Amino acid sequence: MSLLDYFKTKKNTSTAATAKERLQIIVAHQRGERDAPDYFPQMKQEIIDVIRKYVKVGADQVSVQLDQNDDNLSVLELNVTLPDQG
């Protein structure tokens, strides 16, 4: 190993792949929010607040998504990961 090899930066491809994947997720999430109505963030928060009245869940355990079809039809999808009752 020469002295110059010591100063060369070693690139980790798995780190780059992970960063690329995370960026793709963020971009897809922002694209989904771009087409959402103005009231959607407030409605999402109110739904989470109602669920929290009855079950202790974190914000990361509740997913609310609005999908719009070509037929001018909107679908509100709600996924909640409930804690174990055991």
Coordinates of all heavy atoms in Angstrom, one line a residue:
M1 N 0.9 -1.2 0.0 CA 0.0 0.0 0.0 C 0.9 1.2 0.0 O 1.7 1.4 0.9 CB -0.9 0.0 1.2 CG -1.8 1.2 1.4 SD -3.1 0.8 2.5 CE -3.2 2.2 3.5
S2 N 0.7 2.1 -1.0 CA 1.5 3.3 -1.1 C 0.9 4.4 -0.3 O -0.3 4.3 0.2 CB 1.7 3.7 -2.5 OG 0.5 4.2 -3.0
L3 N 1.6 5.4 -0.1 CA 1.1 6.6 0.7 C -0.1 7.2 0.0 O -1.0 7.7 0.6 CB 2.3 7.6 0.9 CG 1.9 8.8 1.8 CD1 1.5 8.4 3.2 CD2 3.1 9.7 1.8
L4 N 0.0 7.3 -1.4 CA -1.1 7.9 -2.1 C -2.4 7.1 -2.0 O -3.5 7.7 -2.0 CB -0.7 8.1 -3.6 CG 0.4 9.1 -3.8 CD1 0.8 9.1 -5.3 CD2 0.0 10.4 -3.4
D5 N -2.3 5.8 -1.9 CA -3.5 5.0 -1.7 C -4.3 5.3 -0.4 O -5.5 5.2 -0.3 CB -3.2 3.5 -1.8 CG -2.7 3.0 -3.1 OD1 -3.1 3.7 -4.1 OD2 -2.1 2.0 -3.2
Y6 N -3.5 5.7 0.6 CA -4.1 6.0 1.8 C -5.0 7.2 1.8 O -6.1 7.3 2.4 CB -3.0 6.3 2.9 CG -3.5 6.7 4.2 CD1 -4.0 5.7 5.1 CD2 -3.5 8.0 4.7 CE1 -4.5 6.0 6.3 CE2 -4.0 8.3 5.9 CZ -4.4 7.3 6.8 OH -4.9 7.7 8.0
F7 N -4.7 8.2 0.9 CA -5.5 9.4 0.8 C -6.6 9.4 -0.2 O -7.4 10.3 -0.3 CB -4.5 10.6 0.5 CG -3.6 11.0 1.6 CD1 -2.3 10.7 1.5 CD2 -4.1 11.6 2.7 CE1 -1.4 11.0 2.6 CE2 -3.3 11.9 3.8 CZ -1.9 11.6 3.7
K8 N -6.6 8.3 -1.0 CA -7.7 8.2 -2.0 C -9.0 7.9 -1.2 O -9.0 7.1 -0.3 CB -7.4 7.1 -3.0 CG -6.4 7.4 -4.0 CD -6.2 6.3 -4.9 CE -5.1 6.6 -5.9 NZ -4.8 5.5 -6.8
T9 N -10.1 8.5 -1.7 CA -11.4 8.2 -1.0 C -11.9 6.9 -1.6 O -11.9 6.7 -2.8 CB -12.4 9.4 -1.2 OG1 -12.6 9.5 -2.6 CG2 -11.9 10.6 -0.6
K10 N -12.5 6.1 -0.7 CA -13.1 4.9 -1.2 C -14.6 5.1 -1.2 O -15.2 5.5 -0.2 CB -12.7 3.8 -0.2 CG -11.3 3.5 -0.2 CD -10.9 2.4 0.7 CE -9.4 2.2 0.7 NZ -9.0 1.2 1.7
K11 N -15.2 4.9 -2.3 CA -16.6 5.1 -2.4 C -17.4 3.8 -2.1 O -17.0 2.7 -2.6 CB -17.0 5.5 -3.9 CG -16.4 6.9 -4.2 CD -16.8 7.3 -5.6 CE -16.1 8.6 -5.9 NZ -16.4 9.1 -7.3
N12 N -18.4 4.0 -1.3 CA -19.2 2.8 -0.9 C -20.5 2.8 -1.7 O -21.3 3.7 -1.6 CB -19.6 3.0 0.6 CG -20.2 1.7 1.1 OD1 -20.6 0.8 0.4 ND2 -20.3 1.6 2.4
T13 N -20.6 1.8 -2.6 CA -21.8 1.8 -3.5 C -23.1 1.6 -2.8 O -24.1 2.0 -3.2 CB -21.5 0.8 -4.6 OG1 -21.3 -0.5 -4.0 CG2 -20.4 1.2 -5.5
S14 N -23.0 0.8 -1.7 CA -24.3 0.5 -1.0 C -24.8 1.8 -0.4 O -26.0 2.0 -0.3 CB -24.1 -0.5 0.1 OG -23.2 -0.1 1.1
T15 N -24.0 2.7 0.1 CA -24.4 4.0 0.6 C -25.1 4.8 -0.5 O -26.1 5.4 -0.3 CB -23.3 4.8 1.2 OG1 -22.6 4.0 2.2 CG2 -23.7 6.1 1.9
A16 N -24.5 4.8 -1.7 CA -25.1 5.6 -2.8 C -26.4 5.0 -3.2 O -27.3 5.7 -3.5 CB -24.1 5.6 -4.0
A17 N -26.5 3.7 -3.2 CA -27.8 3.1 -3.6 C -28.8 3.4 -2.6 O -30.0 3.6 -2.9 CB -27.6 1.6 -3.7
T18 N -28.5 3.4 -1.3 CA -29.4 3.7 -0.2 C -29.9 5.1 -0.4 O -31.1 5.4 -0.2 CB -28.8 3.5 1.1 OG1 -28.3 2.1 1.2 CG2 -29.8 3.7 2.3
A19 N -29.0 6.0 -0.6 CA -29.3 7.4 -0.8 C -30.3 7.6 -2.0 O -31.2 8.4 -1.9 CB -28.1 8.3 -0.9
K20 N -30.0 6.9 -3.1 CA -30.8 7.0 -4.3 C -32.2 6.5 -4.0 O -33.2 7.2 -4.4 CB -30.2 6.3 -5.4 CG -31.0 6.3 -6.7 CD -30.3 5.5 -7.8 CE -31.1 5.5 -9.0 NZ -30.5 4.7 -10.1
E21 N -32.3 5.4 -3.3 CA -33.6 4.8 -2.9 C -34.4 5.8 -2.0 O -35.6 6.0 -2.3 CB -33.4 3.5 -2.2 CG -34.7 2.8 -1.9 CD -34.4 1.5 -1.2 OE1 -33.5 0.8 -1.6 OE2 -35.2 1.1 -0.3
R22 N -33.8 6.4 -1.1 CA -34.5 7.3 -0.2 C -34.9 8.6 -0.9 O -36.0 9.0 -0.7 CB -33.5 7.7 1.0 CG -33.3 6.6 2.0 CD -32.4 7.1 3.1 NE -32.1 6.0 4.0 CZ -31.2 6.0 4.9 NH1 -30.4 7.1 5.1 NH2 -31.0 5.0 5.7
L23 N -34.1 9.0 -1.8 CA -34.5 10.2 -2.6 C -35.7 9.9 -3.5 O -36.6 10.7 -3.7 CB -33.3 10.7 -3.5 CG -33.6 11.9 -4.3 CD1 -34.0 13.1 -3.4 CD2 -32.4 12.2 -5.2
Q24 N -35.8 8.7 -4.1 CA -36.9 8.3 -4.9 C -38.2 8.2 -4.1 O -39.2 8.6 -4.6 CB -36.6 6.9 -5.6 CG -35.6 7.0 -6.7 CD -35.2 5.6 -7.2 OE1 -35.4 4.6 -6.5 NE2 -34.7 5.6 -8.4
I25 N -38.1 7.8 -2.8 CA -39.3 7.7 -2.0 C -39.7 9.1 -1.7 O -40.9 9.4 -1.7 CB -38.9 6.9 -0.7 CG1 -38.7 5.5 -1.0 CG2 -40.0 7.1 0.4 CD1 -38.1 4.7 0.1
I26 N -38.8 10.0 -1.4 CA -39.2 11.4 -1.1 C -39.9 12.1 -2.3 O -40.9 12.7 -2.1 CB -38.0 12.2 -0.6 CG1 -37.5 11.7 0.8 CG2 -38.3 13.7 -0.5 CD1 -36.2 12.2 1.2
V27 N -39.3 11.9 -3.4 CA -39.9 12.5 -4.6 C -41.3 11.9 -4.9 O -42.2 12.7 -5.2 CB -38.9 12.3 -5.9 CG1 -39.6 12.6 -7.2 CG2 -37.6 13.1 -5.7
A28 N -41.4 10.6 -4.8 CA -42.8 10.0 -5.0 C -43.8 10.6 -4.0 O -44.9 10.9 -4.3 CB -42.7 8.5 -4.9
H29 N -43.3 10.7 -2.8 CA -44.2 11.3 -1.7 C -44.6 12.7 -2.1 O -45.8 13.1 -1.9 CB -43.6 11.2 -0.4 CG -44.4 11.7 0.8 ND1 -45.5 11.0 1.2 CD2 -44.3 12.8 1.5 CE1 -46.0 11.7 2.2 NE2 -45.3 12.8 2.4
Q30 N -43.7 13.5 -2.5 CA -44.0 14.9 -2.8 C -44.9 15.0 -4.1 O -45.7 15.9 -4.1 CB -42.7 15.7 -3.0 CG -42.0 16.0 -1.7 CD -40.7 16.7 -1.9 OE1 -40.2 16.8 -3.0 NE2 -40.1 17.2 -0.9
R31 N -44.7 14.1 -5.0 CA -45.6 14.1 -6.2 C -47.0 13.8 -5.8 O -47.9 14.4 -6.4 CB -45.1 13.1 -7.2 CG -43.9 13.6 -8.0 CD -43.5 12.6 -9.0 NE -42.3 13.0 -9.7 CZ -41.5 12.2 -10.4 NH1 -41.8 10.9 -10.5 NH2 -40.4 12.6 -11.0
G32 N -47.2 12.9 -4.9 CA -48.5 12.5 -4.4 C -49.2 13.7 -3.7 O -50.4 13.9 -3.8
E33 N -48.4 14.5 -3.0 CA -49.0 15.6 -2.2 C -49.3 16.8 -3.1 O -50.2 17.6 -2.9 CB -48.1 16.0 -1.1 CG -48.0 15.1 0.1 CD -47.1 15.5 1.2 OE1 -46.4 16.5 1.0 OE2 -47.2 14.9 2.2
R34 N -48.6 16.9 -4.3 CA -48.8 18.0 -5.2 C -50.2 18.0 -5.8 O -50.8 19.1 -5.9 CB -47.7 17.9 -6.3 CG -47.8 19.0 -7.3 CD -46.7 19.0 -8.3 NE -46.8 17.7 -9.0 CZ -45.7 17.1 -9.6 NH1 -44.6 17.8 -9.6 NH2 -45.8 16.0 -10.2
D35 N -50.7 16.9 -6.0 CA -52.1 16.8 -6.6 C -53.2 16.8 -5.6 O -54.4 16.7 -5.9 CB -52.2 15.5 -7.5 CG -51.2 15.6 -8.7 OD1 -50.9 16.8 -9.1 OD2 -50.8 14.6 -9.2
A36 N -52.8 16.7 -4.3 CA -53.9 16.7 -3.2 C -54.5 18.0 -3.0 O -53.9 19.1 -3.3 CB -53.2 16.2 -1.9
P37 N -55.8 18.0 -2.6 CA -56.5 19.3 -2.3 C -55.8 20.1 -1.2 O -55.1 19.5 -0.4 CB -57.9 18.9 -2.0 CG -57.9 17.4 -2.0 CD -56.6 16.9 -2.4
D38 N -56.1 21.3 -1.1 CA -55.5 22.2 0.0 C -55.9 21.7 1.4 O -55.1 21.9 2.3 CB -56.0 23.6 -0.2 CG -55.5 24.3 -1.5 OD1 -54.5 23.7 -2.0 OD2 -56.1 25.2 -2.0
Y39 N -57.1 21.2 1.6 CA -57.5 20.8 2.9 C -56.9 19.4 3.3 O -57.1 19.0 4.5 CB -59.0 20.7 2.9 CG -59.6 19.7 1.9 CD1 -59.7 18.4 2.2 CD2 -60.1 20.2 0.7 CE1 -60.3 17.5 1.3 CE2 -60.7 19.3 -0.2 CZ -60.7 17.9 0.1 OH -61.3 17.1 -0.8
F40 N -56.2 18.7 2.5 CA -55.8 17.4 2.8 C -54.9 17.3 4.0 O -55.1 16.4 4.8 CB -55.1 16.7 1.5 CG -54.8 15.3 1.7 CD1 -55.7 14.3 1.8 CD2 -53.4 14.9 1.8 CE1 -55.4 13.0 2.0 CE2 -53.1 13.6 2.0 CZ -54.1 12.6 2.1
P41 N -53.8 18.1 4.1 CA -53.0 18.0 5.3 C -53.8 18.2 6.6 O -53.5 17.4 7.6 CB -52.0 19.1 5.2 CG -51.9 19.4 3.7 CD -53.3 19.1 3.2
Q42 N -54.7 19.1 6.7 CA -55.5 19.3 7.9 C -56.4 18.1 8.1 O -56.5 17.7 9.3 CB -56.3 20.6 7.8 CG -57.1 20.9 9.1 CD -57.9 22.2 8.9 OE1 -57.8 22.9 8.0 NE2 -58.7 22.4 10.0
M43 N -57.0 17.6 7.1 CA -57.9 16.4 7.2 C -57.1 15.2 7.7 O -57.5 14.5 8.6 CB -58.5 16.1 5.9 CG -59.5 14.9 6.0 SD -60.4 14.6 4.4 CE -59.1 14.0 3.4
K44 N -55.9 15.1 7.2 CA -55.0 14.0 7.6 C -54.7 14.1 9.1 O -54.8 13.1 9.8 CB -53.7 14.0 6.8 CG -52.8 12.9 7.1 CD -51.5 13.0 6.2 CE -50.5 12.0 6.6 NZ -49.3 12.1 5.7
Q45 N -54.4 15.2 9.6 CA -54.1 15.4 11.0 C -55.3 15.2 11.9 O -55.2 14.6 12.9 CB -53.5 16.8 11.2 CG -53.0 17.1 12.7 CD -52.0 16.1 13.1 OE1 -51.0 15.8 12.3 NE2 -52.1 15.5 14.2
E46 N -56.5 15.6 11.4 CA -57.7 15.4 12.2 C -58.0 13.9 12.3 O -58.5 13.4 13.3 CB -58.8 16.2 11.6 CG -58.7 17.7 11.8 CD -59.8 18.5 11.2 OE1 -60.7 17.9 10.6 OE2 -59.7 19.7 11.2
I47 N -57.8 13.2 11.2 CA -58.0 11.7 11.2 C -57.1 11.1 12.2 O -57.5 10.2 13.0 CB -57.9 11.1 9.8 CG1 -59.0 11.6 8.9 CG2 -57.8 9.6 9.9 CD1 -58.8 11.2 7.5
I48 N -55.8 11.4 12.2 CA -54.9 10.9 13.2 C -55.3 11.2 14.6 O -55.2 10.4 15.5 CB -53.5 11.4 12.9 CG1 -53.0 10.8 11.5 CG2 -52.5 11.1 14.0 CD1 -51.7 11.4 11.0
D49 N -55.8 12.5 14.9 CA -56.2 12.9 16.2 C -57.4 12.0 16.7 O -57.4 11.7 17.9 CB -56.5 14.3 16.2 CG -55.3 15.2 16.0 OD1 -54.2 14.7 16.2 OD2 -55.5 16.4 15.7
V50 N -58.3 11.7 15.8 CA -59.5 10.9 16.2 C -59.0 9.5 16.5 O -59.5 8.9 17.5 CB -60.5 10.9 15.1 CG1 -61.6 9.9 15.3 CG2 -61.2 12.3 14.9
I51 N -58.2 8.9 15.7 CA -57.7 7.6 16.0 C -57.0 7.6 17.4 O -57.1 6.6 18.2 CB -56.7 7.1 14.9 CG1 -57.6 6.9 13.6 CG2 -56.0 5.8 15.3 CD1 -56.7 6.6 12.4
R52 N -56.2 8.6 17.7 CA -55.5 8.7 18.9 C -56.4 8.8 20.2 O -56.0 8.5 21.3 CB -54.5 9.8 18.9 CG -53.3 9.6 18.1 CD -52.3 10.7 18.2 NE -51.1 10.5 17.4 CZ -50.3 11.4 17.0 NH1 -50.5 12.7 17.4 NH2 -49.2 11.1 16.3
K53 N -57.6 9.2 20.0 CA -58.6 9.2 21.1 C -58.8 7.8 21.6 O -59.1 7.6 22.8 CB -59.9 9.9 20.6 CG -59.9 11.3 20.5 CD -61.3 11.8 20.2 CE -61.4 13.3 20.2 NZ -62.8 13.7 19.9
Y54 N -58.8 6.9 20.7 CA -59.2 5.5 21.1 C -58.0 4.5 21.2 O -58.1 3.6 21.9 CB -60.2 5.0 20.0 CG -61.4 5.8 20.0 CD1 -61.5 6.8 19.0 CD2 -62.4 5.7 20.9 CE1 -62.7 7.6 18.9 CE2 -63.6 6.5 20.8 CZ -63.7 7.5 19.9 OH -64.8 8.3 19.8
V55 N -56.9 4.8 20.4 CA -55.8 3.9 20.4 C -54.5 4.7 20.4 O -54.4 5.7 19.8 CB -55.8 3.0 19.1 CG1 -54.7 2.0 19.1 CG2 -57.1 2.3 19.0
K56 N -53.5 4.2 21.2 CA -52.2 4.9 21.2 C -51.4 4.5 20.0 O -50.9 3.3 20.0 CB -51.5 4.6 22.5 CG -52.1 5.2 23.7 CD -51.3 4.9 25.0 CE -52.0 5.5 26.2 NZ -51.2 5.2 27.4
V57 N -51.3 5.4 19.1 CA -50.5 5.1 17.9 C -49.7 6.3 17.6 O -50.0 7.5 17.9 CB -51.4 4.8 16.6 CG1 -52.1 3.5 16.8 CG2 -52.4 5.9 16.3
G58 N -48.5 6.1 17.0 CA -47.7 7.2 16.5 C -48.0 7.6 15.1 O -48.8 7.0 14.4
A59 N -47.6 8.8 14.8 CA -47.9 9.4 13.4 C -47.3 8.5 12.4 O -47.9 8.4 11.3 CB -47.3 10.8 13.3
D60 N -46.2 7.8 12.6 CA -45.6 6.9 11.6 C -46.4 5.6 11.5 O -46.2 4.8 10.5 CB -44.2 6.5 12.0 CG -44.1 5.9 13.4 OD1 -44.9 6.1 14.2 OD2 -43.1 5.1 13.5
Q61 N -47.4 5.3 12.4 CA -48.2 4.1 12.3 C -49.5 4.4 11.5 O -50.3 3.5 11.3 CB -48.5 3.6 13.6 CG -47.3 3.1 14.4 CD -47.6 2.7 15.8 OE1 -48.2 3.5 16.6 NE2 -47.4 1.5 16.2
V62 N -49.7 5.6 11.1 CA -50.9 6.0 10.4 C -50.5 6.5 9.0 O -49.7 7.5 8.9 CB -51.8 7.0 11.1 CG1 -53.0 7.4 10.3 CG2 -52.2 6.5 12.5
S63 N -51.1 6.0 8.0 CA -50.8 6.4 6.6 C -52.1 6.8 5.9 O -53.1 6.0 5.9 CB -50.1 5.3 5.8 OG -50.1 5.6 4.5
V64 N -52.2 8.0 5.5 CA -53.4 8.5 4.8 C -53.0 8.9 3.4 O -52.0 9.7 3.2 CB -54.1 9.7 5.5 CG1 -55.3 10.2 4.8 CG2 -54.4 9.3 6.9
Q65 N -53.6 8.4 2.4 CA -53.2 8.7 1.0 C -54.5 9.0 0.1 O -55.5 8.3 0.3 CB -52.5 7.5 0.4 CG -51.9 7.8 -0.9 CD -51.0 6.6 -1.4 OE1 -50.7 5.7 -0.7 NE2 -50.5 6.7 -2.6
L66 N -54.4 9.9 -0.7 CA -55.5 10.3 -1.6 C -55.1 9.9 -3.0 O -54.1 10.4 -3.6 CB -55.8 11.8 -1.5 CG -57.0 12.2 -2.4 CD1 -58.3 11.6 -1.9 CD2 -57.1 13.8 -2.3
D67 N -55.8 9.0 -3.7 CA -55.5 8.6 -5.0 C -56.7 9.1 -5.9 O -57.8 9.1 -5.6 CB -55.5 7.1 -5.2 CG -54.3 6.5 -4.4 OD1 -53.2 7.2 -4.3 OD2 -54.4 5.4 -3.9
Q68 N -56.3 9.6 -7.1 CA -57.3 10.1 -8.1 C -57.2 9.3 -9.3 O -56.1 9.1 -9.9 CB -57.1 11.6 -8.3 CG -57.3 12.4 -7.1 CD -57.1 13.9 -7.4 OE1 -56.4 14.3 -8.3 NE2 -57.7 14.7 -6.6
N69 N -58.3 8.7 -9.8 CA -58.4 7.9 -11.0 C -58.7 8.8 -12.2 O -59.0 10.0 -12.1 CB -59.5 6.9 -10.9 CG -59.1 5.9 -9.8 OD1 -58.0 5.8 -9.3 ND2 -60.1 5.2 -9.3
D70 N -58.6 8.2 -13.4 CA -58.9 8.9 -14.6 C -60.3 9.3 -14.7 O -60.7 10.2 -15.5 CB -58.4 8.1 -15.8 CG -56.9 7.9 -15.9 OD1 -56.2 8.8 -15.3 OD2 -56.5 6.9 -16.5
D71 N -61.2 8.6 -14.0 CA -62.6 8.8 -14.1 C -63.1 9.9 -13.2 O -64.3 10.0 -12.9 CB -63.4 7.5 -13.8 CG -63.0 6.4 -14.7 OD1 -62.7 6.7 -15.9 OD2 -63.1 5.2 -14.3
N72 N -62.2 10.8 -12.8 CA -62.5 11.9 -11.9 C -63.0 11.4 -10.6 O -63.9 12.0 -10.0 CB -63.5 12.8 -12.6 CG -63.2 14.3 -12.2 OD1 -62.2 14.6 -11.5 ND2 -64.1 15.2 -12.5
L73 N -62.5 10.2 -10.1 CA -62.9 9.6 -8.9 C -61.7 9.7 -7.9 O -60.6 9.3 -8.2 CB -63.3 8.2 -9.2 CG -63.7 7.3 -8.0 CD1 -65.0 7.8 -7.4 CD2 -63.8 5.9 -8.4
S74 N -62.0 10.1 -6.7 CA -61.0 10.2 -5.7 C -61.2 9.1 -4.6 O -62.3 8.8 -4.2 CB -61.0 11.5 -5.0 OG -60.7 12.6 -5.9
V75 N -60.1 8.5 -4.2 CA -60.2 7.4 -3.2 C -59.3 7.8 -2.1 O -58.1 8.0 -2.3 CB -59.7 6.0 -3.8 CG1 -59.7 5.0 -2.8 CG2 -60.6 5.7 -5.0
L76 N -59.8 7.8 -0.9 CA -59.1 8.1 0.3 C -58.7 6.7 1.0 O -59.5 6.0 1.4 CB -59.9 8.9 1.3 CG -59.1 9.3 2.6 CD1 -58.0 10.3 2.3 CD2 -60.1 10.0 3.6
E77 N -57.4 6.5 1.1 CA -56.9 5.2 1.6 C -56.3 5.5 3.0 O -55.4 6.4 3.1 CB -55.8 4.6 0.7 CG -55.3 3.3 1.2 CD -54.3 2.7 0.2 OE1 -54.3 3.1 -1.0 OE2 -53.4 1.9 0.7
L78 N -56.7 4.7 4.0 CA -56.2 4.9 5.4 C -55.7 3.6 5.9 O -56.4 2.6 5.9 CB -57.4 5.4 6.3 CG -57.1 5.5 7.7 CD1 -56.2 6.6 8.0 CD2 -58.4 5.7 8.5
N79 N -54.4 3.6 6.3 CA -53.8 2.4 6.8 C -53.3 2.7 8.2 O -52.6 3.6 8.4 CB -52.6 1.9 6.0 CG -53.0 1.4 4.6 OD1 -54.0 0.6 4.5 ND2 -52.4 1.9 3.6
V80 N -53.8 1.9 9.2 CA -53.4 2.1 10.6 C -52.8 0.8 11.1 O -53.4 -0.3 11.0 CB -54.6 2.5 11.5 CG1 -54.2 2.7 12.9 CG2 -55.3 3.7 10.9
T81 N -51.6 0.9 11.7 CA -50.9 -0.3 12.3 C -51.3 -0.2 13.8 O -50.8 0.7 14.5 CB -49.4 -0.2 12.1 OG1 -49.1 -0.1 10.8 CG2 -48.8 -1.4 12.7
L82 N -52.2 -1.1 14.2 CA -52.7 -1.1 15.6 C -51.7 -1.9 16.5 O -51.1 -2.9 16.1 CB -54.0 -1.7 15.7 CG -55.1 -1.0 14.9 CD1 -56.4 -1.8 14.9 CD2 -55.4 0.4 15.5
P83 N -51.5 -1.4 17.7 CA -50.6 -2.2 18.6 C -51.3 -3.5 19.1 O -52.5 -3.6 19.0 CB -50.5 -1.2 19.8 CG -51.7 -0.3 19.8 CD -52.1 -0.2 18.3
D84 N -50.4 -4.4 19.5 CA -50.9 -5.7 20.0 C -51.7 -5.5 21.3 O -51.3 -4.7 22.1 CB -49.8 -6.7 20.2 CG -49.1 -7.1 18.9 OD1 -49.8 -7.1 17.9 OD2 -47.9 -7.4 18.9
Q85 N -52.8 -6.2 21.5 CA -53.6 -6.1 22.7 C -53.1 -7.1 23.7 O -53.7 -7.1 24.8 CB -55.1 -6.4 22.3 CG -55.7 -5.4 21.4 CD -55.8 -4.0 22.0 OE1 -56.0 -3.9 23.2 NE2 -55.7 -3.0 21.2
G86 N -52.1 -7.9 23.5 CA -51.6 -8.9 24.4 C -50.8 -8.4 25.5 O -50.7 -7.7 26.3

